[in-house]
Amino acid sequence: MTAPALRVLSLIPPMTQLNTPYPSTAYITGFLRSRGVDAVQADLALALVLKLFSPAGLESVRSHALAQPEAQRTASVHAFLDQFSRYRATIGLVIAFLQGRDSTLAHRIAARELLPEGPRFAALEVYVDAALSDEGGDPLAWAFGALGVQDKARHIATLYLNDLADVLRDAVDERFAFVRYAESLASSQPTFEPMAAALAAPFTLVDEILHTLTLATLSQHKPDLVLLSVPFPGALYAALRIAQTIKAQNPHITIALGGGFVNTELRELAEPRVFDFVDFVTLDSGERPLLALMEYLQRKRSKQRLVRTFVREEETVRYINFAEPEVPFEEIGTPTWAGLPLERYLSLLDMLNPMHRLWSDGRWNKLTVAHGCYWKKCSFCDVSLDYISRYETASAATLADRIETIVNETGQTGFHFVDEAAPPKALKALADELISRQLPISWWGNIRFEKTFTPELCQLLADSGCIAMSGGLEVASDRLLTLMKKGVTVEQVARVTKGFSDAGILVHAYLMYGFPTQTLQDTVDALEYVRQLFENGCIQSGFFHRFSCTVHSPVGLDPAAYGIELIPLPPVTFAKNDIGFIDPSGVDHDALGVGLRKAIYNYMHGIGLDEDVRAWFSHVPGKVPKATVGRNRIAKALTQPA
């Protein structure tokens, strides 16, 4: 008997990204097509936003807002209702502008007369140094200058959409957000109870639109197998709403759940109710589990030979992992964006941060240089999980072939290499290959600031099209970098980042605060190092993240080695990732975080670089110690040989 052919539909659920498709479906669709599978994809995240942010969508939002008792209406809702006619008249214009279909509208948007402004516009001056307000005039002039009309307009249009998103949250669905939609229902939730209750509740307006879009997508593609990719906790609720609709419409369609959130937080899944919505849950790289699942559905293998897959059997969750080799990274095929409406994505400018804008502005083709991380030692990272621990590369020729294929398919030459830490050896080989082929692309990615990145290599990468690099400086303290096992020093980072900057490459530093045993003195010293890195032109962008302990990291696996005590988790049958801890240092990291974020925001705009770093902590109770780092430490380090 001939095995039944399978039509596979991969879906991007709300909410992921709006400027470019999240790459997971492009990866898996490209892989399946390379194996001769009838595979298609759709982005329901983008489709949902375009339905909501339309004249008809806003009319529906207004009806919900008017149904609210006036006493319950927030400032966002009041502003929306008061200016509704202007919102309705301009929403189509804003979407067209952000899609790049009406660029001349930038002048009217930038003048701040065309669009209604709600509470989000107050954010324009949140982090700007007080001295700036004395200059008077346009508070955006310092960010965009006289000629940055397109960027200024895109930022204003993004604030306009954020105002509307707040209205949706306050009047329609309290869980709504562009990125963290219903995140609290999934992220590190020990039980499925909150999610089950939300999924049993009547549809919100957002649910109704998603339901309609799902039915239309099923009608269009008529799949046998649907793959739901959930990269973040904020995509799970909508993914399960999609699954709920599919099962109600056609219970014979098989649904599999996977993606970054699943791989990280559902590794100990024991909740059978998840399988009321989906049939299979797979872990880690999807190629091998998916091939095994398809063979099972085609009756070519038994259930016992599934790979890294959870199933439900008689109300019990069972994990099946038949040992089979992974599909080599060299053989996973080329991602494809076929079937996705590339011209309809929204180029946003959310944060006035030169690196963060790359995440939301422009439609970048996503590609991976290597699977996993070649370093895999950092103590805060999930180094025990497959997406970090299994390191594999592909040849430079293979990568360049993939790049050429993608450019020919999409007509777009911008690439974001999404590696955890792209290896310098592979980047050098790829740069040589791109230059040899005279393949003009623009690309950016994430690295470790290690000494292998010499000034000569930085220039080669720039010549090949590199426009930006991000990397983890974390806590800028040699003591803490050693404890983290970063394998770098602050002075080494200074020399490497200076090499990138001198080559014309934008450098962004990921920074961290609240790491175990980090003292107030450590924090002050770290900010002094960061100030000097900006002052000396080593970095142009940065962002401070609060340290979060995860159960899969070295800190979570051996907390005593880092001087902390974990707060025991309740019994877990659903999601498990973040874990609280007790740090005997007793430092108020939340209070320090306010000053750190304000400082770096100003440093990015050349403000406050001459100030004593203690000025940023004026709100912190008690005496803030003076930095122990010499004010010319980085300048001196840059004169030393690598």
Side-chain angles (χ1 to χ4, degrees):
M1 179 186 295
T2 303
L6 291 176
R7 183 169 177 80
V8 182
L9 169 62
S10 297
L11 293 178
I12 305 171
M15 300 297 290
T16 48
Q17 287 181 267
L18 295 178
N19 65 307
T20 194
Y22 194 79
S24 54
T25 67
Y27 278 37
I28 207 67
T29 303
F31 168 70
L32 291 174
R33 289 187 174 189
S34 74
R35 298 298 178 104
V37 177
D38 182 8
V40 292
Q41 59 189 324
D43 187 344
L44 294 186
L46 176 68
L48 174 67
V49 166
L50 295 181
K51 282 287 187 183
L52 282 168
F53 295 95
S54 67
L58 294 191
E59 289 279 9
S60 298
V61 173
R62 178 173 180 265
S63 296
H64 281 74
L66 289 172
Q68 265 192 331
E70 187 160 353
Q72 295 180 14
R73 295 175 189 166
T74 64
S76 296
V77 174
H78 278 297
F80 172 71
L81 292 175
D82 291 344
Q83 304 181 84
F84 177 74
S85 62
R86 293 182 67 196
Y87 277 110
R88 193 187 189 286
T90 55
I91 186 62
L93 297 173
V94 168
I95 294 298
F97 170 70
L98 292 173
Q99 289 174 330
R101 296 188 286 113
D102 192 0
S103 60
T104 56
L105 191 65
H107 298 276
R108 290 206 64 198
I109 293 175
R112 295 183 69 178
E113 296 291 338
L114 177 66
L115 304 185
E117 297 187 0
R120 284 285 187 143
F121 283 77
L124 289 177
E125 301 175 49
V126 168
Y127 287 115
V128 181
D129 187 73
L132 222 64
S133 62
D134 296 336
E135 299 174 8
D138 182 358
L140 285 176
W142 59 271
F144 299 109
L147 297 178
V149 174
Q150 290 288 331
D151 284 350
K152 180 179 176 182
R154 208 155 37 238
H155 183 57
I156 290 168
T158 302
L159 291 175
Y160 166 99
L161 288 188
N162 286 337
D163 267 327
L164 290 175
D166 291 344
V167 175
L168 275 160
R169 179 198 64 207
D170 296 342
V172 175
D173 185 340
E174 65 183 3
R175 301 169 300 235
F176 184 82
F178 279 138
V179 177
R180 301 177 183 276
Y181 181 33
E183 182 182 57
S184 63
L185 297 176
S187 183
S188 299
Q189 273 286 356
T191 79
F192 192 63
E193 203 58 49
M195 182 67 75
L199 293 167
F203 278 1
T204 66
L205 171 64
V206 179
D207 295 332
E208 290 170 359
I209 294 175
L210 185 58
H211 174 78
T212 301
L213 291 169
T214 302
L215 291 177
T217 304
L218 290 181
S219 177
Q220 177 185 355
H221 294 296
K222 299 178 174 54
D224 304 293
L225 171 61
V226 172
L227 308 178
L228 293 171
S229 177
V230 180
F232 317 118
L236 182 64
Y237 169 78
L240 295 182
R241 277 296 197 194
I242 291 168
Q244 192 177 49
T245 294
I246 294 172
K247 286 300 183 186
Q249 175 70 11
N250 187 345
H252 300 296
I253 295 176
T254 302
I255 304 176
L257 187 72
F261 164 76
V262 176
N263 300 339
T264 304
E265 301 208 22
L266 299 190
R267 304 193 73 85
E268 299 176 27
L269 181 64
E271 173 55 74
R273 287 178 293 177
V274 172
F275 296 89
D276 292 341
F277 304 90
V278 302
D279 302 289
F280 302 93
V281 177
T282 67
L283 294 182
D284 300 327
S285 295
E287 291 86 5
R288 181 58 67 193
L290 188 52
L291 290 178
L293 174 58
M294 292 174 64
E295 288 184 358
Y296 167 66
L297 296 175
Q298 293 172 311
R299 301 190 290 276
K300 292 181 179 179
R301 70 165 64 199
S302 68
K303 183 187 287 188
Q304 314 310 317
R305 296 179 68 239
L306 291 173
V307 178
R308 295 196 301 275
T309 300
F310 288 103
V311 299
R312 178 171 64 181
E313 293 180 345
E314 298 179 355
E315 295 307 310
T316 299
V317 177
R318 180 183 171 206
Y319 182 61
I320 304 172
N321 187 16
F322 183 76
E324 284 190 15
E326 299 290 346
V327 176
F329 185 67
E330 185 90 20
E331 300 174 14
I332 61 172
T334 301
T336 177
W337 283 265
L340 298 177
L342 300 184
E343 73 288 351
R344 302 188 73 199
Y345 286 85
L346 307 176
S347 190
L348 306 173
L349 209 172
D350 196 351
M351 298 182 67
L352 299 182
N353 174 309
M355 176 59 82
H356 283 178
R357 71 169 295 176
L358 292 179
W359 286 96
S360 61
D361 184 13
R363 206 211 66 71
W364 299 94
N365 297 309
K366 308 280 188 173
L367 195 64
T368 306
V369 174
H371 183 283
C373 177
Y374 67 98
W375 179 250
K376 54 191 174 191
K377 295 179 183 178
C378 298
S379 58
F380 53 82
C381 190
D382 292 339
V383 296
S384 62
L385 300 186
D386 176 79
Y387 80 100
I388 298 290
S389 64
R390 180 169 60 84
Y391 177 63
E392 271 191 86
T393 60
S395 69
T398 296
L399 292 172
D401 287 345
R402 291 173 182 171
I403 288 170
E404 285 194 287
T405 300
I406 292 168
V407 170
N408 289 335
E409 177 189 294
T410 66
Q412 293 171 315
T413 59
F415 283 80
H416 174 200
F417 296 150
V418 295
D419 301 69
E420 296 299 319
K425 183 178 179 181
L427 287 179
K428 181 183 185 303
L430 177 58
D432 285 332
E433 187 73 15
L434 292 172
I435 293 169
S436 172
R437 296 191 189 195
Q438 296 185 320
L439 187 55
I441 67 167
S442 303
W443 62 269
W444 56 287
N446 193 61
I447 59 167
R448 292 180 61 249
F449 292 132
E450 62 167 77
K451 60 184 179 182
T452 311
F453 287 105
T454 61
E456 294 75 21
L457 178 53
C458 293
Q459 187 59 56
L460 175 69
L461 299 181
D463 293 342
S464 76
C466 180
I467 60 169
M469 281 294 195
S470 61
L473 175 54
E474 319 310 348
V475 177
S477 155
D478 286 336
R479 177 184 77 83
L480 291 172
L481 287 171
T482 299
L483 183 62
M484 292 176 179
K485 298 184 175 65
K486 281 292 293 185
V488 299
T489 65
V490 176
E491 293 186 354
Q492 177 185 314
V493 168
R495 288 188 285 269
V496 170
T497 53
K498 183 64 171 171
F500 279 113
S501 294
D502 287 347
I505 296 170
L506 172 73
V507 182
H508 174 87
Y510 287 111
L511 300 159
M512 182 186 296
Y513 66 101
F515 192 76
T517 75
Q518 183 176 354
T519 64
L520 177 58
Q521 184 70 65
D522 288 329
T523 302
V524 172
D525 289 348
L527 185 57
E528 174 59 25
Y529 272 126
V530 171
R531 184 195 68 78
Q532 293 184 35
L533 289 170
F534 276 100
E535 182 181 50
N536 287 278
C538 298
I539 62 177
Q540 296 77 45
S541 176
F543 192 79
F544 273 102
H545 302 256
R546 175 70 185 266
F547 168 74
S548 178
C549 183
T550 66
V551 295
H552 308 294
S553 68
V555 176
L557 294 170
D558 186 13
Y562 298 88
I564 61 171
E565 178 184 346
L566 299 183
I567 299 172
L569 291 171
V572 175
T573 57
F574 185 47
K576 183 179 181 181
N577 190 38
D578 293 350
I579 184 167
F581 63 93
I582 299 170
D583 186 340
S585 69
V587 176
D588 185 354
H589 295 296
D590 288 336
L592 294 174
V594 173
L596 292 171
R597 290 190 293 274
K598 186 170 183 179
I600 202 165
Y601 198 84
N602 280 273
Y603 290 166
M604 283 190 292
H605 299 98
I607 300 167
L609 289 170
D610 295 330
E611 298 292 326
D612 188 313
V613 294
R614 289 176 291 180
W616 302 107
F617 304 117
S618 58
H619 62 286
V620 176
K623 184 178 180 180
V624 176
K626 182 180 180 180
T628 62
V629 179
R631 285 184 68 84
N632 296 310
R633 178 79 172 270
I634 295 300
K636 291 178 180 177
L638 294 176
T639 66
Q640 303 299 317

